[in-house]
Amino acid sequence: MCRMARPRKPLLSRERIVEAARVIVDAEGLAAVSTRRLAAELGVSGPSLYNHFRTKDEILEAVADSVSAQVDLSMFDTADGRDWRTALHDWAVSYRAALTLHPNIVPVLARGPGRRPAGLRLADTMFGAMVDAGWPAAQATSIGALMRYFIMGSALGSFAGGFVDDETAYDPSAYPHLGQAHLLADRQQLIDDRAFETGLTALLDGLTLQYEALRRGRVRTVRGAPRRS
């Protein structure tokens, strides 16, 4: 009589550790992650985690990088055909969507890409696309910083969700313009999405004006340059 083989536990890997940590971060926040908690979730001994990560901070960095890897970069492909403004818009929407799914990891992402491969690829691709579009390197760097501030800030909290849904909470004698504020919480996603799109459009409008001025300046410089005989 042959014995049935016992099901084997999946081998521990960096990917399994990162996924387990991401689930905890999403549900309970950064403080809930510990090597002891992760080992229990994965059904392994604590020391076995150190074969893949030296510290808890390294695990959180990897979780952050896994979120950066979810951001679509295809719009910056030269074969894609989108102009720089459209590509920047679509990238910002994809970036925010990834952060909105995992808002608790944003404080780690906000520290910058450091040595994280996906984060560095994200920064490199966006910067390269702006330079290729004609932006000077210094301004392309500023655009990257500006977009990062705006996108991450939008993912850190909800404006609409910051108001309670109790109509008696906002005394009209003290707050005469907040009579409808208690309705905001019910429309949180709509309001936050609209606010993001409004801000993104304003940023891109401003950048477009700068870009057009930059191009006009270059044309004047070229036309006014002395010709060689």
Side-chain angles (χ1 to χ4, degrees), residues 88-89 91-97 100 147 150-155 189-203:
L88 202 58
H89 172 278
W91 171 76
V93 170
S94 176
Y95 201 164
R96 177 179 176 249
T100 300
M147 299 303 290
F150 175 65
I151 295 164
M152 290 195 179
S154 74
Q189 184 171 348
L190 173 64
I191 292 168
D192 290 346
D193 287 349
R194 191 168 58 200
F196 178 79
E197 192 61 40
T198 299
L200 181 56
T201 299
L203 286 177

Side-chain angles (χ1 to χ4, degrees), residues 1-2 23 29 45 52 57 65 71 117 130 134 139 141 145 153 155 158 169 181 224:
M1 182 177 178
C2 62
V23 169
S45 63
H52 302 277
D57 283 345
D65 210 38
V71 180
M130 294 302 102
Q139 286 173 280
T141 300
S158 164

Side-chain angles (χ1 to χ4, degrees), residues 91 109 122:
W91 171 76
L109 285 164
L122 185 154

Side-chain angles (χ1 to χ4, degrees), residues 17-67:
I17 296 169
V18 169
E19 176 59 26
R22 187 168 56 224
V23 169
I24 295 172
V25 171
D26 287 346
E28 303 175 45
L30 295 170
V33 178
S34 68
T35 52
R36 178 179 296 180
R37 171 79 180 275
L38 281 171
E41 294 284 344
L42 293 164
V44 298
S45 63
S48 63
L49 298 177
Y50 297 114
N51 293 324
H52 302 277
F53 295 97
R54 291 176 297 176
T55 65
K56 168 188 165 179
D57 283 345
E58 279 193 3
I59 296 172
L60 292 177
E61 288 285 318
V63 171
D65 210 38
S66 73
V67 173

Side-chain angles (χ1 to χ4, degrees), residues 127 130 134-145 207 210-211 214 218:
F127 175 81
M130 294 302 102
W135 286 98
Q139 286 173 280
T141 300
S142 296
I143 291 169
L207 288 174
Q210 291 184 34
Y211 185 78
L214 177 70
R218 284 184 176 176

